[in-house]
């Protein structure tokens, strides 16, 4: 899978670009898409507003980590992996028996976004399984990205030549498209454009970038991890991201 969002929409962390300072081996979004389509000729591409796009291929799909995409009410979602509590989630969100994980995540987003303010980490904690997903709400330009706490699904993000945010479960696409400006998406974390990167297990602890340098002090790579010794005053909220609610509260329990 592949998702690319223009810099103004994706708002990638500045630290992702640090290893590329002084180099210019990343590619444009169109070049990255061309490479993806040449590698995965059966892929379907979904063109979004503002030059954003998502693409999905079922080629060489793992039965353990299947890929799916759904579009509901101008909300696009790519989901990779499985949910172990899918039956409970289908019942809770009123999703049909044949509904996919992607459909459940979208319905959860719609219900929790619109009803009551609550931190988004509470939503992801309800998802029991091995997964990574990307949601993009066209109406509000909200981008929501998450990966399970074990990091079970290969999932990386990076920055294209024009500053666009690139997400993929194909390490080769990321490394060739973003050069050094890429990193594994941190396990147990969520990213919301405008709010930044947070941990859903430790929502009050900062997720910081760790820079790795060579002997000459040149930045070689960056990765992200939860800093258990640094707490933030509150969970950042803005726009539609501030309107997420705990499933128990939505249900009235």
């Amino acid at each position: 899978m592949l998702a690319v969002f223009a810099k103004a929409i994706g708002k990638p962390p500045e630290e992702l670009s640090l290893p590329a300072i002084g180099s210019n081996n990343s590619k444009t979004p169109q070049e990255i898409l061309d490479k993806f389509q040449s590698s995965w000729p059966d892929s379907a591409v979904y063109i979004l507003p503002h030059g954003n796009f998502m693409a999905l291929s079922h080629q060489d799909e793992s039965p353990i980590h299947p890929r799916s995409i759904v579009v509901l009410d101008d909300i696009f979602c790519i989901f990779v992996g499985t949910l172990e509590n899918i039956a409970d989630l289908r019942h809770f969100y009123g999703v049909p028996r044949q509904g996919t994980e992607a459909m459940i995540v979208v319905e959860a987003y719609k219900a929790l976004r619109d009803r009551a303010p609550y931190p988004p980490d509470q939503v992801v904690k309800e998802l029991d399984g091995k997964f990574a997903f990307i949601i993009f709400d066209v109406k509000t330009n909200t981008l929501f990205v998450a990966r399970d706490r074990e990091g079970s699904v290969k999932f990386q993000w990076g920055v294209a030549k024009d500053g666009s945010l690139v997400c993929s479960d194909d390490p080769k696409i990321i490394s060739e498209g973003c050069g050094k400006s890429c990193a594994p998406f941190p396990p147990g974390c969520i990213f919301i454009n405008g709010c930044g990167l947070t941990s859903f297990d430790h929502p009050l602890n900062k997720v910081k970038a760790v820079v790795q340098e060579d002997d000459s002090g040149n930045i070689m790579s960056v990765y992200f991890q939860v800093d258990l010794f640094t707490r933030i005053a509150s969970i950042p909220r803005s726009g539609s991201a501030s309107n997420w609610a705990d499933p128990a509260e939505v249900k009235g329990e």
Side-chain angles (χ1 to χ4, degrees):
M1 65 114 157
L2 172 68
V4 178
F5 300 92
K7 183 178 181 179
I9 299 295
K11 296 180 171 61
E14 294 181 2
E15 294 88 347
L16 271 179
S17 299
L18 290 178
I21 294 177
S23 63
N24 192 29
N25 58 347
S26 57
K27 301 184 183 301
T28 66
Q30 185 60 51
E31 290 172 331
I32 295 173
L33 178 59
D34 291 343
K35 177 62 178 180
F36 184 84
Q37 290 183 297
S38 65
S39 299
W40 310 99
D42 72 327
S43 59
V45 180
Y46 297 78
I47 304 300
L48 308 173
H50 310 296
N52 307 311
F53 61 83
M54 289 180 168
L56 183 76
S57 169
H58 292 288
Q59 186 176 337
D60 295 333
E61 182 177 81
S62 167
I64 301 175
H65 300 145
R67 310 181 189 108
S68 61
I69 189 167
V70 68
V71 184
L72 294 172
D73 298 330
D74 291 326
I75 300 170
F76 292 73
C77 176
I78 290 180
F79 189 101
V80 181
T82 55
L83 294 174
E84 296 176 7
N85 60 337
I86 188 171
D88 292 338
L89 292 169
R90 281 174 179 153
H91 175 72
F92 184 84
Y93 291 114
V95 176
R97 196 171 187 178
Q98 68 274 20
T100 65
E101 280 88 349
M103 291 176 63
I104 290 172
V105 170
V106 168
E107 290 300 331
Y109 171 82
K110 288 166 58 180
L112 302 174
R113 175 197 63 186
D114 297 336
R115 299 206 180 181
Y118 210 85
D121 61 275
Q122 296 297 323
V123 178
V124 185
K125 283 181 179 178
E126 297 294 324
L127 306 179
D128 182 12
K130 302 177 178 180
F131 62 85
F133 68 79
I134 303 169
I135 287 177
F136 184 66
D137 187 339
V138 173
K139 292 180 180 178
T140 62
N141 285 330
T142 299
L143 173 65
F144 187 95
V145 184
R147 188 184 188 193
D148 74 81
R149 57 178 54 87
E150 303 299 328
S152 308
V153 174
K154 291 182 179 179
F155 190 49
Q156 296 189 342
W157 60 345
V159 179
K161 190 172 186 177
D162 65 350
S164 296
L165 177 65
V166 183
C167 301
S168 180
D169 63 345
D170 186 337
K172 186 176 181 181
I173 290 294
I174 287 286
S175 62
E176 291 185 0
C178 303
K180 293 182 179 180
S181 297
C182 62
F185 190 89
C189 287
I190 55 180
F191 175 78
I192 302 174
N193 57 345
C195 295
L197 187 64
T198 59
S199 165
F200 58 79
D201 275 335
H202 306 281
L204 293 180
N205 290 90
K206 184 178 180 180
V207 179
K208 67 176 184 180
V210 179
V211 175
Q212 296 179 316
E213 302 178 342
D214 60 17
D215 294 339
S216 301
N218 299 312
I219 298 175
M220 301 303 296
S221 63
V222 171
Y223 66 92
F224 298 84
Q225 67 178 22
V226 179
D227 183 357
L228 297 177
F229 299 99
T230 303
R231 293 176 65 85
I232 54 180
S234 62
I235 301 173
R237 306 183 198 176
S238 67
S240 63
S242 67
N243 295 324
W244 286 64
D246 188 306
E249 292 198 0
V250 174
K251 193 175 181 181
E253 298 180 347

